[in-house]
Amino acid sequence: MHYEDMQADSAFGFDGNWKDFAKIALPNLLLTIVTLGIYRFWATTRERQYLWSHTRFVDERLEWTGRGIELFVGFLLVALIIGIPFGLISLITNGLIFRGMIEWVGALTLFLFIATYYLTGLARFRALRYRLSRTRWRGIRGGSDDQGFKYGWSYIWKSFVGTMALYLLIPWSMTSLWNERWNKMSFGPYEFEAYADSGNIFARFLLFYLAPIILIVITAVLAVTGYGIGGAIGDEAQALGMELSFVIAMFVWFFVLGLIAAAFYAKFYREVVEKTLWHDLRFSFEASTMDWIKLYLGDFFIVVLTLGLGFVFLNYRHWKFFITHMEASGDILLDELTQSTAKTARHGEGLLDAFDIGAI
Amino acid sequence: MEQSFRTPAQWYDGHNAIRHEGEAVWDGGGSLHLRSFSSEMDVALDDLEYRDHRGGELVYTSKEAPDFRLIVPEDLPPGLAAKLPGKQVYGGWIDKVGLGKASAAFAAVSLAAVALFLTAPEWLGPRVPESWERNLGQAMVGDLGNRLCHTPEGDAALAKLLDAVDLASMQVRAGVANMDMVNAVALPGGQVLLFDGLVQDAETPEELAGVLGHEVGHVRERHVMTALLRQFGLSILLSGANSGLGDTVFGLASMSYSRDAEREADEFARKRMEESNVSPLGAARFFERIGGDSEAEDNSLVGWVASHPAPRERADAFRKAAEGKTFSPVLTAQEFEALKSMCEDDPDVEEFDFLF
């Protein structure tokens, strides 16, 4: 077995390298272009095969057994089952607008909005189920017997409740949805158990509320300074000083919000992974806020410096980030670890694809 | 038995997670004998399927038992390697023909598909029964409710104008939309609208006849259906690359005509006006007046300049059609005035302030 350089001290290891990945990603890009995008389902599959098979858990590599055709069929089904009704409804909406029946347009738009939300939740659930059911470790796979229809409703109402009280319940809706999703999943004969607590991430979330106050102070200081410095030089410089301060303030604003988002997400991810159990196994996720910031800054520069071409490496980077920061501890009794009896969906992540939700 | 036909191997039976580590023994026949302290079994070579190549190892699965995994080192004796299923990179026939050839073949098929999708509307559009288009138009647009201007005199004047440019027994529906914009449109389902802004802008009824004739031309030459089909085809084609449902659906709302279609519609207008003895000079003057700037004449969403023949060229064509002929006025001064005051005089007309 070739595991020498795969972080032997950790339960998870990754030994892929970007040059090998490029040999998959770049031909994938070519094939995706010449097939007008249809190849992307097979491209995704090939990428995952590479990433999974270069990922070690304890003493065995993962294996991705999903197939391109499953994703393709999933896409076609969604196009038929959801695309056609959505298309018809939008045609009808169009007609209603021309007829001036605005109340009906409003009702239909609301219906579409709710349906989209429901399907987004369903899609997230099913994508996780699909990924677990196509992931093998020591020949064993995961999955879920739940279809996710109930999760779709939870996704609607929990997201809605999350926005109440000035969005203060968002940490609750995020952790609660994570728990609900993972509690329905299993790997081999054992179910996952998730009990993430929003109380532990709430303090970080409050940074979002503190930020505007700090930023307004900074903006005011900058504006006054700019105004003052400009004023000392002349009227035109005064206006310029104001404008410049404004630009700097805008930059600071987005930068600070980005930092807070990273800080919150880092904490959220640590909390939910730590509170997700699989039988006697505990997990943890070690990425700090700084690690997330480096990840996204790295993404940004890779894409910009390669004039966009670098986006093909983002999946690789994110997977590597995910695996290298994952830890696990506890015992696995291999004798007891039998094959999953959960049903396997025959087709892939069509819904997720249709709503354009990115994977990890 | 030779040592070279013995190789270390690991396997999982797919029922539990126990790894069996031992050796695979091949006697030169059609099956592989796997043995370890914990397990002993035979697998037929033609039952194996290639799965993966990872960290110096090859992984095979079984057709009979899809959860079974056999892991062997990649440096197998050549005799055995030849008997095992070949490595797959892309899978399927791409491996057989090679990436270069496969890409070229895909590109050719894609180009053919694009060409088909772009040209099909041209011949398919005119073949769609008009009744289908009317139903489609009814669903998409309807009768526009109360946003068309109506007065008895104005309606009569518009009907007279329409008679001059649409001789078919089943005429298109024409209306003046209560919207202050120099524009006119042909909608799906054989409905033509002059915007009030354009009516106010017109200096002679002949100008309106020219524009109306042009829009009727779009309907009669089936350009509307063609444009709808083209939009629909493009949205299907793009759905491969772009998975967002929304874009696909709303793409339907935007339509545009080709330059050839615009020329055809102009020709249609000239022919009808000639038959009705209406002067094309009004239309010529209209194009001269709006020429230069990019004010949309009949096409709201795509830039005038990109999709329309040069206004100068269009004006010249209309001017030429007038040479050596005499015409009778298409409307009386009163009728023209009734058309102009139609929106102002309609007591209960509603605003038409969206979409265009």
Side-chain angles (χ1 to χ4, degrees), chain B residues 186-234:
Chain B
L187 295 171
Q191 182 154 237
V192 167
L193 298 184
L194 298 176
F195 289 9
D196 190 44
L198 184 126
V199 176
Q200 300 307 323
D201 190 65
E203 287 166 3
T204 62
E206 278 71 19
E207 286 186 22
L208 292 180
V211 174
L212 192 63
H214 175 89
E215 296 305 334
V216 172
H218 278 318
V219 175
R220 290 284 170 229
E221 303 284 349
R222 307 306 303 278
H223 297 155
V224 185
M225 200 60 222
T226 303
L228 269 177
L229 285 175
R230 194 167 45 234
Q231 271 304 325
F232 184 63
L234 276 180

Side-chain angles (χ1 to χ4, degrees), chain B residues 206-266:
Chain B
E206 278 71 19
E207 286 186 22
L208 292 180
V211 174
L212 192 63
H214 175 89
E215 296 305 334
V216 172
H218 278 318
V219 175
R220 290 284 170 229
E221 303 284 349
R222 307 306 303 278
H223 297 155
V224 185
M225 200 60 222
T226 303
L228 269 177
L229 285 175
R230 194 167 45 234
Q231 271 304 325
F232 184 63
L234 276 180
S235 69
I236 288 181
L237 207 60
L238 290 177
S239 69
N242 160 31
S243 51
L245 280 173
D247 306 311
T248 310
V249 167
F250 292 111
L252 274 177
S254 64
M255 283 181 9
S256 68
Y257 304 119
S258 67
R259 268 170 178 256
D260 282 346
E262 298 300 342
R263 261 191 212 102
E264 258 177 56
D266 277 357

